[in-house]
Amino acid sequence: MATRVRFKNLAEAERLAKRKLPRAVWLAIKAGNEQGWTLRENLRAYDELGFSPTIFDRPTSFDLTTTILGVDIDFPVVVSPVGAQAIHPDGEAGMARAAARAGTAMGLSSWAADGVEEVVRANPKTFFQLYWVGTRDQIEARVEAARAAGAAALIVTLDWSHTPRRDWGVPPAPPSRLDLRTMLELAPEALSRPVWFSGYLRRGRIPELKVPNLFGPGGRVPYFGEAWAEFEATPPPTWADVKWLRELWGGPFMVKGVNTIRDAKLCVDLGADAISLSNHGGNNIDGSPSPLRYLPDVLDAVGDQLDIMIDGGVRRGSDVVKALALGAKAVFAGRACLYGLAVAGEDGGHAALTILKNGIRETMFGIGRSSVHDLGRHDLMVLNRDFFVPPAG
């Protein structure tokens, strides 16, 4: 029996998710870095763009379809590769099924609680996201596992700077092992939301806090804390490392975390098929502007050589239309999908995606556009004359 979804918009889903989740879990998915300036900026940037609605010759049919990384999707929203979606027993596999039902692709994080094989079975349109963790041999083994599972594309994320500081405090880090002492330490958080915790008990699936896609030598699956320690100890990749990774994969390839024209041009040079402009959802360097502000300049510099996606702050279908009008091929939606997943699992994730899809169609009706491919800067009104921020390089 399908779960009854109790929200009709994503703001309501956010409120319900906050009530349902333990405080530490909520802060882990909601909060940004340091003072949260960039987290708020990602939302503010969309609020500083408007539309000019039309009343004549409104469309009666809509084409929302597009192609990204060689995969056809029904509308230009892809589930962002957000880690640790074990906020609900359905996890990443449930979110992947939700995306498949909605007709779109699933981004699967290296830090996921579900393995790539299970997620690809749930949704063949899965893009596997990779961090540079460990040795080249370890990274190659993970790439080959994604290939063997049937992942449709590879995303490498390069913008994380290991600065998880928050003015309001940082939630407890996931453990390096799950022994009796650790379980006793985590118990108060779990028991603070008995309905949430009982959902896991009914499924017989207590979160182990392991990361199967970051397996080590011999296939050993580490706990989150162990993998994090290895991540911090791994030297950041060079351009040559990413070039090697691109050649190793050989298929559709995206670099995520681009913020400058220089880096975008370097991605073209290494043969990337797509880039995603991102400030890591406000969780990287606080003070970074929304990618929406410099999307047009990056598009003008490299947009005829690869596809450009964007993420950060997408909460409504109208936000998606704004990003597309400025030149994005599609957007990643992260927190919006997590809120739905937290409230109602797979059904909640599907509801969140459906709300975004309907919002795109409704906005396009209002501005008189029948196809996402017809959207352009002429469809927007800039409400703040200082909106655009030239990127470096």
Side-chain angles (χ1 to χ4, degrees), residues 121-187:
R121 282 197 300 271
N123 187 344
K125 297 179 180 181
T126 291
F127 304 153
F128 181 66
Q129 179 270 340
L130 187 77
Y131 283 101
W132 191 265
V133 182
T135 66
R136 273 200 180 191
D137 287 345
Q138 290 175 296
I139 292 167
E140 181 173 356
R142 294 166 192 153
V143 168
E144 294 306 329
R147 191 196 313 277
L154 186 71
I155 301 170
V156 58
T157 299
L158 301 178
D159 64 339
W160 186 246
S161 57
H162 302 284
T163 56
R165 297 182 297 269
R166 291 169 179 171
D167 289 5
W168 49 88
V170 179
S176 295
R177 63 187 186 280
L178 197 61
D179 54 16
L180 178 60
R181 178 180 176 179
T182 303
M183 288 189 285
L184 290 174
E185 290 175 351
L186 296 176

Side-chain angles (χ1 to χ4, degrees), residues 250-287:
F253 184 84
M254 171 185 281
V255 178
K256 189 172 184 292
V258 174
N259 286 275
T260 68
I261 288 176
R262 175 183 180 275
D263 285 349
K265 289 180 177 179
L266 288 171
C267 290
V268 171
D269 292 343
L270 63 81
D273 301 290
I275 57 175
S276 180
L277 309 185
S278 174
N279 55 39
H280 221 93
N283 274 292
N284 193 14
I285 300 174
D286 201 30

Side-chain angles (χ1 to χ4, degrees), residues 83-105:
Q85 294 185 27
I87 56 173
H88 187 279
D90 286 354
E92 286 86 1
M95 192 66 241
R97 289 191 296 271
R101 287 166 57 189
T104 193

Side-chain angles (χ1 to χ4, degrees), residues 33-288:
N33 199 18
E34 295 192 324
Q35 66 174 328
W37 185 93
T38 294
L39 181 70
R40 297 188 298 274
E41 153 70 1
N42 283 348
L43 300 172
R44 183 168 55 244
Y46 284 98
D47 289 341
E48 292 179 7
L49 289 178
F51 300 104
S52 295
T54 185
I55 59 173
F56 294 113
D57 300 321
R58 285 178 166 179
T60 56
S61 62
F62 301 91
D63 177 14
L64 308 186
T65 61
T66 193
T67 302
I68 191 72
L69 290 170
V71 171
D72 296 331
I73 53 179
D74 289 352
F75 65 114
V77 177
V78 175
V79 178
S80 189
V82 180
Q85 294 185 27
I87 56 173
H88 187 279
D90 286 354
E92 286 86 1
M95 192 66 241
R97 289 191 296 271
R101 287 166 57 189
T104 193
M106 171 73 182
L108 176 66
S109 173
S110 290
W111 296 96
D114 290 334
V116 63
E117 299 93 341
E118 182 181 2
V119 174
V120 172
R121 282 197 300 271
N123 187 344
K125 297 179 180 181
T126 291
F127 304 153
F128 181 66
Q129 179 270 340
L130 187 77
Y131 283 101
W132 191 265
V133 182
T135 66
R136 273 200 180 191
D137 287 345
Q138 290 175 296
I139 292 167
E140 181 173 356
R142 294 166 192 153
V143 168
E144 294 306 329
R147 191 196 313 277
L154 186 71
I155 301 170
V156 58
T157 299
L158 301 178
D159 64 339
W160 186 246
S161 57
H162 302 284
T163 56
R165 297 182 297 269
R166 291 169 179 171
D167 289 5
W168 49 88
V170 179
S176 295
R177 63 187 186 280
L178 197 61
D179 54 16
L180 178 60
R181 178 180 176 179
T182 303
M183 288 189 285
L184 290 174
E185 290 175 351
L186 296 176
E189 280 287 342
L191 297 177
S192 71
R193 294 293 187 272
V195 174
W196 174 82
F197 187 59
S198 68
Y200 290 92
L201 296 179
R202 288 194 301 271
R203 300 280 190 92
R205 183 187 183 185
I206 304 301
E208 291 186 279
L209 300 176
K210 288 187 173 183
V211 280
N213 297 313
L214 284 173
F215 63 86
R220 181 183 176 275
V221 176
Y223 285 100
F224 194 103
E226 293 177 290
W228 182 258
E230 184 176 27
F231 188 16
E232 290 189 303
T234 302
T238 64
W239 183 91
D241 288 327
V242 182
K243 178 72 170 177
W244 167 81
L245 183 62
R246 197 272 170 275
E247 293 171 352
L248 172 67
W249 174 250
F253 184 84
M254 171 185 281
V255 178
K256 189 172 184 292
V258 174
N259 286 275
T260 68
I261 288 176
R262 175 183 180 275
D263 285 349
K265 289 180 177 179
L266 288 171
C267 290
V268 171
D269 292 343
L270 63 81
D273 301 290
I275 57 175
S276 180
L277 309 185
S278 174
N279 55 39
H280 221 93
N283 274 292
N284 193 14
I285 300 174
D286 201 30
S288 304

